[in-house]
Amino acid sequence: QGDGLGAGSVNAIYWSSRTSSLWIGTSSGISRLAGGRWTAWGVNDGLPMGGVQDVIEDVSGGLWIATSQGLARLSVGMSRDGRARPGLKLANFGIGDGISFGSGLRKASPRLVLSNDGLLWFATLDGVANLDPLRVRSASPAAPVVIELMLADNQPMGRTAAENVVVQGRELQFNYLPLEFPPSERVH
């Protein structure tokens, strides 16, 4: 990856009139042509294997991509001096969120469509689904925890500094507490 169009076959092309940039989804990732310069992102930048199958922009300017792992909202960080390669941030929505695209050869085209009411519609392995991009919240990172007690088959395990603990038993139990609590309005 780096400067230039990403490697592999081209799966999707999207022109953003909002940013005057061309986005191209390839079998190795996603590329952008902006201001006469190409920038390409791939697996090393956090994109899943299998590349980008489709690209679309929502009403607020958020860029969405379809991958074999699901749906992702992209945020591109720009460098201050304009010389360093911009970073890529992803908010992924996949099987755990009820979205399964798969990587089979038979794919709907296009995979992503934005309707006049601002909903993002997408083809999945199970049919068609939609979401309102303005109502999607990014997942909050899990609060750090401290493990107070570990039991294997109801027997306390010794405390160890080892990264990997080998347990011989059928039942494991962890008693833990969060080191911080989220604000009450974020608890559901």
Side-chain angles (χ1 to χ4, degrees):
Q1 306 303 316
D3 292 339
L5 179 62
S9 61
V10 172
N11 300 329
I13 299 175
Y14 179 77
W15 172 255
S16 171
S17 57
R18 185 184 306 255
T19 61
S20 296
S21 55
L22 180 66
W23 291 89
I24 298 181
T26 70
S27 58
S28 67
I30 191 164
S31 301
R32 179 188 64 189
L33 177 62
R37 291 190 57 161
W38 282 103
T39 307
W41 296 273
V43 173
N44 292 338
D45 301 297
L47 289 171
M49 294 289 292
V52 173
Q53 300 169 359
D54 208 350
V55 183
I56 198 164
E57 191 172 19
D58 66 30
V59 294
S60 68
L63 198 68
W64 294 80
I65 62 171
T67 72
S68 62
Q69 302 300 308
L71 194 61
R73 181 172 40 196
L74 299 182
S75 299
V76 179
M78 300 301 291
S79 62
R80 291 186 180 176
D81 63 6
R83 284 184 267 165
R85 193 162 163 263
L88 184 70
K89 294 180 184 175
L90 292 171
N92 291 301
F93 305 91
I95 292 174
D97 302 296
I99 299 171
S100 179
F101 284 169
S103 58
L105 296 175
R106 298 178 69 181
K107 300 174 191 167
S109 181
R111 297 293 300 263
L112 305 173
V113 175
L114 192 67
S115 59
N116 289 338
D117 59 1
L119 293 179
L120 179 62
W121 290 82
F122 47 97
T124 70
L125 287 177
D126 300 323
V128 178
N130 71 45
L131 64 82
D132 183 348
L134 299 178
R135 297 184 66 165
V136 172
R137 294 183 294 168
S138 296
S140 300
V145 298
V146 61
I147 297 176
E148 291 187 318
L149 178 66
M150 295 185 297
L151 301 172
D153 289 334
N154 292 320
Q155 298 298 314
M157 296 175 57
R159 293 181 186 242
T160 177
E163 279 186 32
N164 298 318
V165 177
V166 178
V167 177
Q168 293 182 350
R170 298 179 61 112
E171 184 179 311
L172 297 175
Q173 178 180 336
F174 297 92
N175 293 357
Y176 60 92
L177 291 171
L179 294 177
E180 59 185 57
F181 292 96
S184 60
E185 67 270 7
R186 291 179 46 199
V187 177
H188 303 285

